[in-house]
Amino acid sequence: MGGSSDTVNDAPTGSTSNSGTDFIREKVKSDMAAGRFGGRVQTRFPPEPNGYPHIGHAKAICLNFAVAAEFGGVCKLRFDDTNPETEDANFVDAIEDDIRWLGFEPSGEVVYASDYFEQLSAWAVDLIEAGLAYVDDQDAETISLNRGSFTEVGTDSPWRDRSAADNLDLFARMRSGEFAEGTRVLRARIDMAHENMQMRDPVLYRIRHAHHYRTGDSWHIYPTYDWAHGQSDAIEGVTHSLCTLEFDTHRQLYDWCLEHLDLPGDKPEQSEFARLNLTHTVTSKRKLRALVDGHLVDGWDDPRMPTLRAMRRRGYPPEAIRGFCSAIGVARVNGTHEIELLESFVRTHHNTNALRRMAVLNPLEVVIDNWPEGQVVELDAINNPEDESAGTRKVPFSGRLFIERDDFMIDPPKKFFRLAPGREVRLRAGFFITCTDYVTDADGEVVQLKCTYDPATQGGQAPDGRKVKATLHWVSAEHAVDASVALYRRLFTDSHPGADGGDPLDSVNPDSRSVLEGCKLEPVLADTPAGEVVQFERLGYFAHDLDQPDLWHRTVGLRDEWANIQKRQAKGANQAKG
Ligand code: ATP
Ligand code: MG
């Protein structure tokens, strides 16, 4: 993957759009000004349908769709489906679904590299006829060995000078399925001593007797990435073919192929940008698959995964992912972004939009001794202090409540201002209560608090002006909804998993999830739609599971860890200056 271990931290906090420019947009702008491509802009997102899109793909999706939109162009979704063994129609549907969820609509029909197989093979025949491609009978290992190295030139294949007629005959027979896999390939005939290793007679076609999810059993040869990609771009009329940095050495080959073909229109141009890497995250499909296959997570949509469907389940809004991708920008050098920055976009979004609710994760029973027997009062609670239009809701209050277990201490230290024997606190949207006594079980564990309430404090103020130092969240015991709540920590303990050359999976965090059972939620939460994110007051943002109504996932906590990182960095920079 070639990501450096330096962390890139040049993005502003909280901003959701970046009107700035970058080398790609500058290039598109100058091409348009010069009238190149007839002033047209066309990009594409070219996923291989062999896995689910992740946060790295989100960067490529945002870039391709945004550049097209900003310059009045089009962006197509093209499935780069040239590998029959690993591809699957389920991934096709999932990728389309994820792109739409992220907020983008592919221009026109969705297209497939496999639709171009006939044209690609006709072009291969053209190359053979022009003496620019040949069938090689060497096996893969020999071919690889004979490519040479950065310091040594390659060795010509003994089959390099086959006649065009022989090559045409053999290529046709490869296509019709006559030969076994691995016995022959079609190679471009460029230069085995080329300084760019990619140009040393690269393989264009391999024999595969495999079933393809779209073309069935009609093909026995499949084009390589290098042979399919640029030509697919050209067929569609792509102008700017944006791909990640690891393809920069392929650009020369991309251009070579296009130069030697009789193309319908302009030659597209490839530009490379840095892959997205995130701390505590892997963005290699192969490694993500290993997590799933090794049951280290529950599946591709497990909320700990960096896939878009996992983030959706976790409660990451598409706006936040787009805002993040826009803020980090596009650069030409690989780097790693802090996961806290992504989380800060998620938090900022929910802080503005999420409804406030009360939920008790570790319940401790509170009995209000002076509460009128059987009475229930419907209190008004504010839905979102950041958004007046969100209004208020009713929350039932009764003589038996739950509060958070760690909001009470028998013998509190100096800085603990919450509930303790003899102490008065405010209940959010409710009354002041005073703890008069507590009940313990045989192990000395507190199992119930006895309290009194002050009827004059409804709404949270005492008429005599007396103050309390803490406000607690709570739920009424008889009205509470039971739920399970999943809390998450980093999936990888290492901030740069695998950067030391080891297996990234070695740093998988065995404690990345804890599920709390028997949590108590305020009643309106039972009616919250699947997938909605609310703020559990004082606890963080939580997403209602997409399938299981009694399960919630912690999306992000309340504390702005990104701001803390920035403060630390500013301090470090100042110290370095001083
Ligand atoms: P592989 O090809 O190894 O299966 P991939 O992650 O490259 O994995 P593709 O489906 O080929 O998967 O990717 C589709 C597009 O997304 C490509 O253009 C690729 O360059 C881009 N992309 C993939 N990973 C990232 C990333 N981490 N950051 C930015 N763009 C990415
Ligand atoms: Mg790829």
Side-chain angles (χ1 to χ4, degrees):
M1 278 223 338
S4 86
S5 63
D6 298 333
T7 302
V8 185
N9 277 323
D10 50 359
T13 314
S15 90
T16 51
S17 76
N18 177 7
S19 51
T21 186
D22 51 63
F23 73 98
I24 288 186
R25 287 168 167 91
E26 284 305 315
K27 167 142 200 31
V28 173
K29 215 183 286 173
S30 76
D31 285 346
M32 285 186 87
R36 221 178 141 196
F37 306 113
R40 268 182 344 105
V41 174
Q42 184 167 335
T43 58
R44 82 289 169 268
F45 176 64
E48 197 183 326
N50 64 355
Y52 296 96
H54 53 61
I55 184 71
H57 295 114
K59 175 179 175 178
I61 295 169
C62 289
L63 177 65
N64 279 294
F65 282 94
V67 163
E70 286 163 32
F71 293 94
V74 297
C75 177
K76 284 188 188 282
L77 168 60
R78 177 206 314 146
F79 287 102
D80 201 357
D81 55 352
T82 55
N83 185 352
E85 272 104 353
T86 56
E87 295 162 1
D88 183 327
N90 291 329
F91 289 127
V92 168
D93 294 341
I95 292 169
E96 280 192 52
D97 186 48
D98 282 350
I99 292 172
R100 296 211 166 87
W101 174 77
L102 193 55
F104 299 104
E105 187 59 38
S107 306
E109 296 268 285
V110 170
V111 288
Y112 299 83
S114 57
D115 284 345
Y116 312 142
F117 281 174
E118 198 58 58
Q119 172 69 74
L120 291 171
S121 120
W123 273 332
V125 167
D126 290 348
L127 281 192
I128 294 173
E129 285 171 346
L132 293 171
Y134 62 97
V135 173
D136 192 347
D137 298 2
Q138 299 180 113
D139 60 23
E141 207 183 322
T142 314
I143 289 176
S144 162
L145 222 63
N146 288 346
R147 270 178 90 210
S149 65
F150 287 115
T151 51
E152 272 172 273
V153 298
T155 312
D156 282 2
S157 162
W159 310 104
R160 198 168 192 268
D161 294 319
R162 261 184 172 142
S163 70
D166 283 355
N167 281 318
L168 286 173
D169 171 61
L170 286 168
F171 185 58
R173 288 159 65 193
M174 279 169 66
R175 178 175 170 170
S176 67
E178 189 176 326
F179 305 125
E181 288 190 9
T183 56
R184 285 183 173 84
V185 292
L186 184 75
R187 297 177 75 177
R189 191 168 184 277
I190 307 179
D191 180 0
M192 287 306 289
H194 204 288
E195 59 178 8
N196 179 352
M197 300 267 292
Q198 304 293 341
M199 298 292 279
R200 295 185 187 170
D201 292 10
V203 173
L204 307 182
Y205 273 99
R206 291 195 179 88
I207 297 172
R208 288 271 179 282
H209 300 299
H211 186 84
H212 187 278
Y213 79 104
R214 292 189 81 240
T215 58
D217 299 311
S218 47
W219 288 88
H220 297 278
I221 50 171
Y222 288 91
T224 55
Y225 174 90
D226 288 314
W227 182 244
H229 206 86
Q231 283 66 264
S232 302
D233 286 341
I235 290 169
E236 290 161 14
V238 167
T239 58
H240 298 83
S241 180
L242 312 178
C243 63
T244 36
L245 275 182
E246 67 272 26
F247 291 104
D248 65 345
T249 56
H250 295 243
R251 191 188 334 117
Q252 210 172 1
L253 177 55
Y254 181 100
D255 291 337
W256 184 92
C257 294
L258 295 177
E259 273 158 25
H260 291 91
L261 300 176
D262 187 17
L263 293 182
D266 289 316
K267 277 196 241 336
E269 187 180 358
Q270 173 182 308
S271 303
E272 308 85 23
F273 64 94
R275 287 181 87 85
L276 171 86
N277 297 306
L278 261 193
T279 54
H280 299 283
T281 305
V282 301
T283 50
S284 143
K285 269 191 255 181
R286 203 164 48 83
K287 290 293 168 194
L288 295 178
R289 184 181 300 282
L291 287 169
V292 174
D293 292 347
H295 304 287
L296 295 164
V297 294
D298 289 343
W300 290 93
D301 63 350
D302 183 305
R304 291 167 290 183
M305 291 282 273
T307 56
L308 295 183
R309 48 200 45 223
M311 290 184 174
R312 182 182 338 184
R313 188 175 289 275
R314 175 89 175 247
Y316 280 31
E319 296 88 341
I321 298 172
R322 294 200 306 266
F324 168 74
C325 288
S326 162
I328 59 172
V330 258
R332 260 196 175 116
V333 264
N334 280 324
T336 303
H337 294 276
E338 306 273 6
I339 194 166
E340 288 85 354
L341 176 62
L342 172 59
E343 291 170 341
S344 85
F345 276 92
V346 173
R347 185 180 301 107
T348 301
H349 178 92
H350 290 317
N351 182 43
T352 312
N353 297 287
L355 299 173
R356 273 52 171 175
R357 296 291 184 250
M358 290 196 283
V360 175
L361 303 191
N362 289 298
L364 174 61
E365 187 183 21
V366 172
V367 174
I368 316 274
D369 287 325
N370 60 338
W371 185 261
E373 177 81 37
Q375 181 175 304
V376 176
V377 176
E378 295 282 333
L379 300 167
D380 289 309
I382 292 171
N383 279 331
N384 184 355
E386 303 286 320
D387 176 9
E388 218 178 297
S389 71
T392 60
R393 69 188 185 283
K394 297 286 185 194
V395 187
F397 191 99
S398 68
R400 207 164 66 85
L401 312 171
F402 291 114
I403 64 165
E404 212 66 67
R405 187 160 283 276
D406 63 8
D407 279 338
F408 173 80
M409 285 183 89
I410 298 174
D411 191 12
K414 240 186 164 162
K415 291 241 168 102
F416 185 91
F417 299 115
R418 293 168 273 163
L419 205 53
R423 189 176 287 171
E424 186 171 50
V425 296
R426 176 191 294 110
L427 295 181
R428 171 76 87 213
F431 299 89
F432 285 15
I433 59 166
T434 304
C435 178
T436 54
D437 200 3
Y438 57 89
V439 179
T440 52
D441 65 12
D443 302 325
E445 175 102 16
V446 178
V447 290
Q448 192 188 63
L449 303 183
K450 306 267 186 209
C451 294
T452 57
Y453 86 113
D454 178 352
T457 56
Q458 179 165 352
Q461 301 300 326
D464 62 4
R466 75 182 188 276
K467 299 275 183 252
V468 289
K469 284 195 170 145
T471 302
L472 309 186
H473 61 274
W474 54 276
V475 295
S476 167
E478 67 171 291
H479 303 93
V481 178
D482 286 314
S484 303
V485 174
L487 304 179
Y488 299 104
R489 282 167 290 277
R490 302 286 176 228
L491 182 54
F492 293 90
T493 51
D494 193 343
S495 59
H496 296 79
D500 56 3
D503 184 348
L505 266 47
D506 290 347
S507 81
V508 168
N509 181 1
D511 296 317
S512 57
R513 176 175 64 189
S514 12
V515 180
L516 305 175
E517 313 281 354
C519 303
K520 301 288 182 181
L521 314 184
E522 70 164 278
V524 292
L525 285 171
D527 304 322
T528 305
E532 185 161 319
V533 175
V534 300
Q535 184 191 99
F536 289 173
E537 296 225 27
R538 301 174 64 224
L539 299 173
Y541 296 97
F542 290 79
H544 202 186
D545 188 65
L546 295 170
D547 305 307
Q548 269 174 265
D550 59 349
L551 176 63
W552 292 75
H553 305 280
R554 176 144 76 175
T555 309
V556 281
L558 293 174
R559 204 173 39 169
D560 187 354
E561 290 165 336
W562 172 246
N564 294 339
I565 288 175
Q566 284 187 310
K567 263 183 234 148
R568 275 203 305 275
Q569 279 168 351
K571 214 163 135 193
N574 281 338
Q575 273 166 1
K577 265 188 229 152

